[in-house]
């Protein structure tokens, strides 16, 4: 088994790339890999708690919480989040917040890195 | 270098890929990129399929778009998320996202 670091600089919740990144992280966790997941920019919206799930609409909170329970580490860029008014008190439990150093450090000891570019 | 390139868009112009040099190249079609595996223009397959590379398309994104095995170019292998994880770890060592 190995370590995969995913960096996702996608658009808001509802972005195909964000959906893809969460599903890929899930598949890697299921296969026993360690996964670090970093979100930056508008993707930090993922960290907000209390987002409601509607049919045929991207709803990632529940799958993310399940994956965190299986060992996924997910971190939002603190500056990006704060710049968008996503403060600590509305952040999903278990969702870490750090500066970009965290992402860089994670990539340095990862076996594989997937950086999903901005939209 | 063994490089896996994720192509996530159909309108992508191909020259970005032309500039990527790899001893082994894998092109993984995801999101709207899966149309490269199915759409023919004037009877010809997408120019993206003309490289010496291994081609893969994500089944979830094909099915979301109402596409299936019958629609896909013969050179493209249909994969799931678990397969992509295995490809990343076992077949390639670097990734790129286009």
């Amino acid at each position: 088994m190995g370590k995969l670091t995913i960096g996702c600089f996608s658009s808001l919740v509802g972005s195909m790339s964000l959906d893809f990144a969460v599903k890929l992280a899930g598949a890697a966790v299921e296969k026993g890999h360690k996964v670090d997941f970093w979100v930056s920019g508008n993707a930090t919206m993922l960290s907000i708690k209390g987002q409601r799930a509607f049919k045929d609409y991207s709803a990632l909170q529940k799958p993310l919480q399940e994956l965190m329970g299986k060992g996924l580490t997910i971190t939002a860029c603190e500056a990006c989040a704060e710049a968008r008014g996503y403060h600590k008190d509305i952040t999903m439990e278990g969702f870490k917040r750090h500066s970009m150093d965290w992402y860089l450090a994670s990539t340095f000891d990862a076996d594989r890195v997937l950086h999903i570019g901005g939209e | 270098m063994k490089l896996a390139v994720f192509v996530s868009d159909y309108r992508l112009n191909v020259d970005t890929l032309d500039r990527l040099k790899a001893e082994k190249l894998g092109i993984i079609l995801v999101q709207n990129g899966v149309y490269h595996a199915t759409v023919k223009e004037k009877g010809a397959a997408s120019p993206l399929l003309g490289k010496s590379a291994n081609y893969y398309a994500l089944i979830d994104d094909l099915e979301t778009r109402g596409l299936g095995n019958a629609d896909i170019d013969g050179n493209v292998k249909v994969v799931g998320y678990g397969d992509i994880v295995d490809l990343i770890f076992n077949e390639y060592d670097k990734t790129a996202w286009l």
Side-chain angles (χ1 to χ4, degrees):
Chain A
M1 293 304 111
K3 177 187 171 185
L4 171 63
T5 294
I6 300 174
C8 193
F9 292 62
S10 70
S11 184
L12 302 165
V13 169
S15 152
M16 290 191 285
S17 294
L18 201 50
D19 276 7
F20 173 86
V22 170
K23 288 175 184 166
L24 187 69
V29 166
E30 292 302 329
K31 283 189 172 265
H33 297 292
K34 175 175 172 14
V35 180
D36 277 1
F37 190 157
W38 166 267
V39 284
S40 242
N42 288 327
T44 52
M45 182 190 177
L46 188 63
S47 67
I48 299 176
K49 65 182 176 187
Q51 297 184 48
R52 289 183 58 185
F54 293 104
K55 188 175 176 297
D56 295 335
Y57 202 91
S58 179
L60 298 172
Q61 182 166 331
K62 188 165 178 287
L64 268 185
Q65 284 170 334
E66 286 165 7
L67 287 173
M68 283 194 247
K70 293 176 182 172
L72 172 74
T73 302
I74 186 160
T75 302
C77 171
E78 187 164 34
C80 293
E82 289 293 326
R84 290 160 174 79
Y86 308 155
H87 303 309
K88 201 169 183 58
D89 57 328
I90 60 169
T91 301
M92 197 191 301
E93 191 181 329
F95 214 118
K96 301 181 197 305
R97 291 163 29 118
H98 283 296
S99 64
M100 182 72 82
D101 307 349
W102 184 92
Y103 178 45
L104 297 179
S106 175
T107 59
F108 270 94
D109 68 2
D111 296 295
R112 298 292 184 272
V113 175
L114 175 58
H115 181 96
I116 298 178
E119 286 162 23
Chain B
M1 173 176 63
K2 299 173 186 170
L3 177 63
V5 181
F6 289 83
V7 173
S8 66
D9 192 9
Y10 179 64
R11 289 184 310 277
L12 167 85
N13 51 45
V14 184
D15 72 331
T16 310
L17 272 169
D18 291 341
R19 296 201 299 267
L20 293 172
K21 299 301 175 214
E23 127 213 359
K24 177 182 180 182
L25 180 63
I27 295 177
I28 304 176
L29 305 170
V30 298
Q31 298 173 26
N32 288 334
V34 299
Y35 285 120
H36 284 291
T38 61
V39 171
K40 287 199 180 351
E41 292 186 16
K42 302 188 181 89
S46 163
L48 186 133
L49 298 185
K51 312 199 159 311
S52 58
N54 300 302
Y55 291 96
Y56 314 90
L58 179 58
I59 184 67
D60 303 55
D61 289 343
L62 287 163
E63 290 176 346
T64 303
R65 291 158 179 78
L67 301 165
N69 277 291
D71 308 294
I72 296 162
D73 186 284
N75 290 317
V76 179
K77 182 180 178 189
V78 175
V79 292
Y81 279 98
D83 301 315
I84 291 179
V85 171
D86 292 339
L87 287 171
I88 288 174
F89 274 99
N90 305 325
E91 301 295 325
Y92 301 96
D93 39 47
K94 297 282 187 264
T95 66
W97 178 273
L98 298 181

